[in-house]
Amino acid sequence: MIKDVIKETLNEQQGEAAQWIETSSLILAGAGSGKTRVLTYKIANLVFDYGINPLQIFAVTFTNKAANEMKERLINISQDIDIPENTQDFDELLGQNSISNVHKINKSTLKWLGTFHSIFLKILKHEIDKTELGYTSQFGIYDTGETLTLIKNLINENGLKNKIEPKEAKWKISALKNEGITYKKFLYLVGNDWEEAVSLIYEKYQKSMLASNSMDFDDLLMITKIMFEEYPDILEKYRKQFKYILVDEAQDTNQIQFDIIKLLGQDGNVTFIGDDFQSIYGRRGAVMDNFLKLGERWPDLKTFKLEVNYRSKDHIVQAGNAIIARNEKQYQKNVTSNRGGSDHIRVFGFTDEFDEATQIIDLMKRLQKEKGFKWSDFAVLYRTNSQSQPFEQILLQEGIPYKIWGGLKFFERKEIKDIISYIKYIMNKKDNISLKRIINTPNRKIGTTTIQNIQEYANTNNLDMNYVIDNIDTLPIKITAGATNNIKSFNTMIRFLENQIEGLYPTDFINNLLSSIKYKDYLITSEGKDKAEEKMENLGQLINLASKYNEKTHTNGIDAMNQFIEEISILVDMEEAEESEPDMVKLMSIHGSKGLEFPVVFIVGLEENMFPLSKAKFEQKEMEEERRLMYVAITRAKDLLFFSHADSRMKRGQLSFNKQSRFVEEIPDYLTKFYNIKGGSSAKNTQISYDEGDLVQHKLFGKGSILETWNEIVVVKFDNPKFGIRKIDTKFLEKL
Ligand SMILES: Nc1ncnc2c1ncn2[C@@H]1O[C@H](COP(=O)(O)OP(=O)(O)OP(=O)(O)O)[C@@H](O)[C@H]1O
């Protein structure tokens, strides 16, 4: 019986929250209080105790990783409970009001458990053909790089190069979409020249995306909202379908996500679970006010609190509580640790960022040797990504395995993007961005002028680039005979691949594609043998991912490939797809650490103007968000927590001096112990003095010359331009 399992697995607060189904509810959860567990059992309870079909449950998580974890747990729970196989399909279900038998939980019945993006992608694929919004269900998805390329092109084509910066325009368009503001609405809201220029780009961008039958990530939300608003029958169908809506990390939902939840669940049964103390996405449009005012929209909202932290030792929980108590706008919660302990947070003061990295890594080495910790037990958390550099350098030097979370994402790597672009173009011939990426990759002697001419001709005559390519022989376009032939053979190859796709498993298709375009040879010529091997390994990983879709359940190769492309389009990064975790130190931004936990945490760079950021000083709202970030960072630690700050550090090429962060002072003295070990244990090369102009040798970076010196730290310009100018501790240098 599920009730018995709940009793055994959840505490009283958790159990009550998980079993409440009468009205909508808000589960206010402290850090480490078992949100995932409660949500999982709430779903299990709905299915196994109330006979709700899992297909009628819409459960949205913040990351794919969280969704996968929940799915796995649910499948495990369901294996312990004896139930008949559910054979009902989604469409059969519609129109049925009550479902009395108990349903099987498996990957396909849990199709509505995922991130907002993944769920709305499925809904759009299912419905978009029934609308007149202009897209077909074959629509592709542009990733961040592709959207930026398109925006750049549009800015150039419209002579706005001096007026707007592509990244800023992209950010603004994304922010507008996340507030649900279409380009038509934005026209009425523009307040200055810059916004007027952005509004023109926004309009052209949206039209061009539509012409390419493509959406960006934000469209997955915005177009869903528009579709629900303009097609009430579709909305009604999903309102009926989703009897129970569950929203994880509800404190970080943005306006458009919240609006869609309102549309779907206005009169329904919605469970919000979240921690306002951990709302850290204000800059990305999260609207905490919505979370704080849920009762206004759902008057029957019943509130539960989860206040027992199972993750962290007592001193860590107390430090978190002390920090967050300084914020004003929040619900009251009194989080306590269930792990006890009477330890301290150790606070270190260092000379600069290299001293900080060197000594923290020394400390890790000691903890690993003497206290039995593994490398993977350590996480270094920082406010800004660039702070990883000295840590990386020294970890590399020391030969300690490490992994940077949020580094170059798997799906942002060139080789992966190239191959995915081929597949996307073959599946959606209107996808001009993919076409432009692949037409001359590998090099086929189709130059940029030729591509531009094709594009211009297509634009002027209102045609797809693909049509122009198909008819390159007969259309009056200015291109050489050589280029025409090259385009024709490119097109023949694409046709050949297109004909293959239906009859092949995705993995076989990708292998054929790689050999048809001679991708490995291209990598060897353009990148060298070693790099080519590395990149081919990454492509091997892509093929591994595709192998999941080789199952016989797909009617044909196109169907399987479609599902594969859908999934990878929304995978946030490779870390999320990785099953096992190797033994590596983890370096990550505090934002990236959300939802994770580690035995030992180092929060570094705790200086005013670094953390909190300088711009937060003047705005209470911003300072409160910085403080919540500090709360998130502290509460990632299970056993040991270390803080560090440095007297000076390089920031954008300038040396800056900052005092210890206010956040350290906000923690009561009895929870902290201070250590001043500047230039301490790591043996320094003090005997040798270095001067500007000295020639030096570094094990990894090779030869270079010193530009500046600060005691043991020197700035070196390396001869190899790949390594450029770096700050280095002299202990890693040899004087020449
Ligand atoms: N009732 C319980 N008994 C034992 N352990 C529990 C219980 N509930 C949660 N835990 C454990 O506590 C830890 C924290 O749980 P979880 O990661 O779900 O917390 P969370 O609320 O999502 O935290 P955060 O918001 O800080 O990321 C996990 O290791 C989990 O297994």
Side-chain angles (χ1 to χ4, degrees):
M1 280 287 286
I2 185 68
K3 290 262 181 266
D4 299 330
V5 183
I6 288 182
K7 223 177 196 163
E8 273 166 32
T9 329
L10 302 184
N11 71 27
E12 210 181 309
Q13 282 180 324
Q14 292 173 329
E16 277 176 18
Q19 291 174 94
W20 180 260
I21 77 153
E22 274 92 276
T23 63
S24 293
S25 61
L26 165 63
I27 307 172
L28 273 176
S33 65
K35 286 200 284 286
T36 325
R37 206 175 266 231
V38 170
L39 265 192
T40 310
Y41 282 95
K42 180 145 194 177
I43 296 175
N45 191 49
L46 284 169
V47 176
F48 300 127
D49 201 25
Y50 291 89
I52 304 297
N53 190 310
L55 287 164
Q56 293 189 298
I57 302 171
F58 172 108
V60 69
T61 58
F62 199 74
T63 61
N64 293 306
K65 187 171 177 236
N68 289 337
E69 261 173 38
M70 280 177 62
K71 281 183 193 173
E72 258 166 48
R73 279 206 221 172
L74 279 164
I75 290 169
N76 284 341
I77 298 170
S78 83
Q79 275 155 5
D80 295 338
I81 296 175
D82 205 17
I83 42 170
E85 185 83 26
N86 166 45
T87 49
Q88 275 175 301
D89 186 33
F90 165 64
D91 280 324
E92 284 172 35
L93 258 170
L94 300 174
Q96 280 188 250
N97 291 327
S98 72
I99 288 159
S100 54
N101 58 332
V102 182
H103 300 278
K104 182 87 176 166
I105 280 185
N106 57 36
K107 282 239 154 110
S108 61
T109 57
L110 290 175
K111 69 189 263 191
W112 305 115
L113 192 174
T115 58
F116 276 108
H117 291 97
S118 72
I119 295 180
F120 294 155
L121 173 62
K122 283 193 193 115
I123 294 181
L124 286 169
K125 288 269 171 180
H126 222 282
E127 306 296 340
I128 204 85
D129 282 338
K130 299 170 197 156
T131 71
E132 283 169 14
L133 293 170
Y135 302 88
T136 75
S137 59
Q138 292 301 308
F139 70 83
I141 297 169
Y142 278 7
D143 68 16
T144 332
E146 288 158 338
T147 53
L148 189 63
T149 309
L150 178 56
I151 289 175
K152 260 186 208 157
N153 292 346
L154 290 171
I155 289 176
N156 292 345
E157 281 164 23
N158 288 280
L160 291 168
K161 219 170 160 181
N162 298 328
K163 222 169 197 170
I164 30 183
E165 212 276 314
K167 279 197 176 140
E168 284 177 19
K170 180 174 173 303
W171 180 85
K172 181 72 184 172
I173 292 172
S174 170
L176 288 167
K177 288 185 179 182
N178 280 303
E179 285 176 60
I181 300 173
T182 58
Y183 72 81
K184 286 181 193 149
K185 264 194 214 157
F186 189 50
L187 276 177
Y188 297 98
L189 300 172
V190 289
N192 54 41
D193 284 359
W194 184 80
E195 287 191 345
E196 196 172 326
V198 171
S199 110
L200 178 81
I201 296 301
Y202 185 10
E203 176 173 352
K204 300 228 171 216
Y205 171 77
Q206 217 51 25
K207 288 184 171 162
S208 161
M209 294 288 280
L210 186 62
S212 305
N213 194 27
S214 296
M215 296 192 194
D216 62 23
F217 289 123
D218 303 315
D219 284 335
L220 295 177
L221 307 181
M222 194 175 75
I223 307 291
T224 302
K225 181 172 175 239
I226 293 174
M227 181 177 80
F228 281 159
E229 284 170 344
E230 294 185 8
Y231 296 85
D233 49 329
I234 296 180
L235 174 62
E236 198 46 37
K237 171 169 148 182
Y238 285 92
R239 274 191 172 167
K240 272 202 187 130
Q241 166 75 13
F242 300 132
K243 295 253 181 292
Y244 294 89
I245 296 177
L246 296 95
V247 186
D248 192 11
E249 305 277 6
Q251 78 282 353
D252 276 329
T253 46
N254 65 28
Q255 192 57 48
I256 195 150
Q257 292 164 341
F258 190 73
D259 288 345
I260 300 176
I261 294 295
K262 276 193 311 204
L263 286 171
L264 284 172
Q266 186 139 290
D267 316 308
N269 187 311
V270 190
T271 304
F272 295 95
I273 187 161
D275 181 3
D276 50 328
F277 293 175
Q278 295 187 62
S279 170
I280 55 173
Y281 280 103
R283 274 167 212 271
R284 268 215 229 150
V287 188
M288 208 171 94
D289 269 2
N290 287 333
F291 184 70
L292 296 175
K293 292 182 187 158
L294 288 172
E296 290 176 12
R297 177 63 56 176
W298 284 271
D300 60 352
L301 194 79
K302 170 127 172 128
T303 303
F304 296 89
K305 285 188 186 179
L306 308 180
E307 294 175 304
V308 182
N309 179 322
Y310 285 89
R311 174 183 299 140
S312 314
K313 290 236 172 105
D314 190 49
H315 68 290
I316 297 168
V317 172
Q318 284 199 47
N321 288 346
I323 280 283
I324 208 68
R326 306 253 173 176
N327 278 2
E328 286 172 9
K329 248 177 118 183
Q330 58 200 10
Y331 289 112
Q332 281 310 307
K333 269 189 255 97
N334 180 26
V335 184
T336 56
S337 163
N338 121 308
R339 297 192 53 208
S342 56
D343 202 355
H344 292 89
I345 297 168
R346 291 168 182 85
V347 185
F348 297 121
F350 295 118
T351 320
D352 58 24
E353 70 267 39
F354 277 86
D355 189 25
E356 180 179 57
T358 311
Q359 298 211 47
I360 285 180
I361 290 161
D362 267 357
L363 181 59
M364 284 182 194
K365 277 164 44 186
R366 294 212 308 270
L367 287 168
Q368 193 239 19
K369 235 194 204 142
E370 292 161 25
K371 303 274 180 205
F373 285 102
K374 296 190 296 269
W375 295 126
S376 56
D377 289 336
F378 304 123
V380 178
L381 309 184
Y382 34 77
R383 177 66 183 88
T384 42
N385 278 311
S386 58
Q387 284 170 265
S388 69
Q389 195 269 328
F391 283 92
E392 243 186 296
Q393 192 173 318
I394 293 172
L395 285 163
L396 208 64
Q397 198 78 48
E398 298 278 342
I400 298 174
Y402 71 92
K403 184 172 183 71
I404 300 196
W405 285 52
L408 192 55
K409 309 270 171 62
F410 182 75
F411 291 108
E412 285 168 13
R413 293 180 187 152
K414 176 183 156 35
E415 63 278 17
I416 303 295
K417 289 185 75 162
D418 282 349
I419 299 310
I420 290 178
S421 296
Y422 269 97
I423 303 175
K424 278 166 75 172
Y425 176 64
I426 293 167
M427 309 279 290
N428 173 23
K429 289 299 197 22
K430 292 181 166 206
D431 185 347
N432 292 341
I433 292 271
S434 293
L435 171 62
K436 281 198 279 181
R437 181 175 185 105
I438 61 169
I439 192 166
N440 199 36
T441 305
N443 191 342
R444 305 186 170 92
K445 300 209 172 75
I446 304 174
T448 34
T449 321
T450 305
I451 301 169
Q452 252 168 19
N453 286 346
I454 295 175
Q455 183 170 19
E456 265 164 34
Y457 186 85
N459 287 350
T460 338
N461 296 287
N462 220 358
L463 298 167
D464 290 335
M465 279 178 80
N466 159 51
Y467 177 87
V468 180
I469 285 177
D470 270 346
N471 297 284
I472 199 83
D473 264 344
T474 50
L475 297 171
I477 306 174
K478 266 193 286 168
I479 42 174
T480 63
T484 307
N485 280 337
N486 296 338
I487 288 170
K488 276 165 66 182
S489 47
F490 165 76
N491 208 25
T492 312
M493 183 193 63
I494 293 288
R495 294 253 169 250
F496 166 73
L497 289 165
E498 193 182 353
N499 289 335
Q500 279 194 330
I501 204 161
E502 187 164 354
L504 287 180
Y505 283 144
T507 49
D508 296 336
F509 177 77
I510 299 175
N511 278 322
N512 279 9
L513 167 64
L514 289 172
S515 50
S516 301
I517 62 173
K518 299 195 174 64
Y519 197 71
K520 189 168 180 187
D521 295 347
Y522 158 71
L523 286 178
I524 294 173
T525 335
S526 57
E527 313 255 356
K529 212 162 176 268
D530 288 351
K531 268 256 159 353
E533 283 301 331
E534 191 187 314
K535 294 190 170 213
M536 286 307 288
E537 265 177 39
N538 288 336
L539 286 166
Q541 188 62 31
L542 185 75
I543 294 173
N544 290 344
L545 285 176
S547 65
K548 245 180 37 193
Y549 297 86
N550 285 358
E551 299 153 16
K552 305 262 181 316
T553 48
H554 302 291
T555 44
N556 59 44
I558 295 180
D559 181 31
M561 190 60 95
N562 248 328
Q563 295 221 11
F564 171 57
I565 288 292
E566 269 174 35
E567 181 184 334
I568 59 176
S569 304
I570 49 168
L571 262 185
V572 176
D573 59 27
M574 203 48 199
E575 276 83 12
E576 296 200 357
E578 270 174 12
E579 292 291 310
S580 60
E581 231 176 67
D583 190 21
M584 289 177 171
V585 172
K586 292 172 193 99
L587 309 177
M588 67 183 78
S589 71
I590 299 170
H591 279 102
S593 74
K594 180 172 164 150
L596 304 176
E597 56 185 32
F598 313 94
V600 185
V601 167
F602 298 88
I603 306 176
V604 302
L606 274 166
E607 296 128 38
E608 286 292 293
N609 302 320
M610 283 298 289
F611 189 22
L613 293 179
S614 49
K615 57 184 166 195
K617 277 202 219 152
F618 309 103
E619 270 241 29
Q620 193 194 349
K621 206 170 143 209
E622 300 241 356
M623 185 55 82
E624 293 209 345
E625 181 145 329
E626 292 289 300
R627 200 172 275 114
R628 289 193 294 272
L629 267 170
M630 182 65 179
Y631 179 80
V632 168
I634 291 174
T635 55
R636 297 311 93 199
K638 290 162 111 171
D639 304 312
L640 295 179
L641 179 58
F642 297 90
F643 290 170
S644 73
H645 59 92
D647 294 342
S648 73
R649 86 172 56 233
M650 286 287 273
K651 257 173 95 181
R652 293 194 202 95
Q654 299 276 327
L655 194 61
S656 65
F657 299 86
N658 292 308
K659 59 178 191 155
Q660 176 181 282
S661 163
R662 71 188 65 197
F663 296 150
V664 179
E665 279 146 32
E666 288 177 3
I667 292 174
D669 290 346
Y670 68 91
L671 292 172
T672 47
K673 260 192 189 165
F674 287 78
Y675 296 78
N676 201 336
I677 50 170
K678 286 175 197 167
S681 67
S682 58
K684 302 269 174 207
N685 240 342
T686 42
Q687 300 88 333
I688 306 168
S689 68
Y690 288 83
D691 284 315
E692 280 169 33
D694 282 352
L695 296 180
V696 288
Q697 170 87 30
H698 184 276
K699 229 165 91 194
L700 285 175
F701 309 139
K703 288 198 175 98
S705 60
I706 293 187
L707 296 180
E708 261 180 85
T709 62
W710 301 295
N711 302 321
E712 294 88 9
I713 305 296
V714 292
V715 180
V716 182
K717 181 168 190 266
F718 288 99
D719 296 353
N720 185 340
K722 212 163 104 188
F723 302 119
I725 298 175
R726 285 169 185 253
K727 271 180 81 183
I728 306 266
D729 189 317
T730 52
K731 78 175 192 175
F732 299 125
L733 296 175
E734 205 183 302
K735 200 164 168 178
L736 296 175

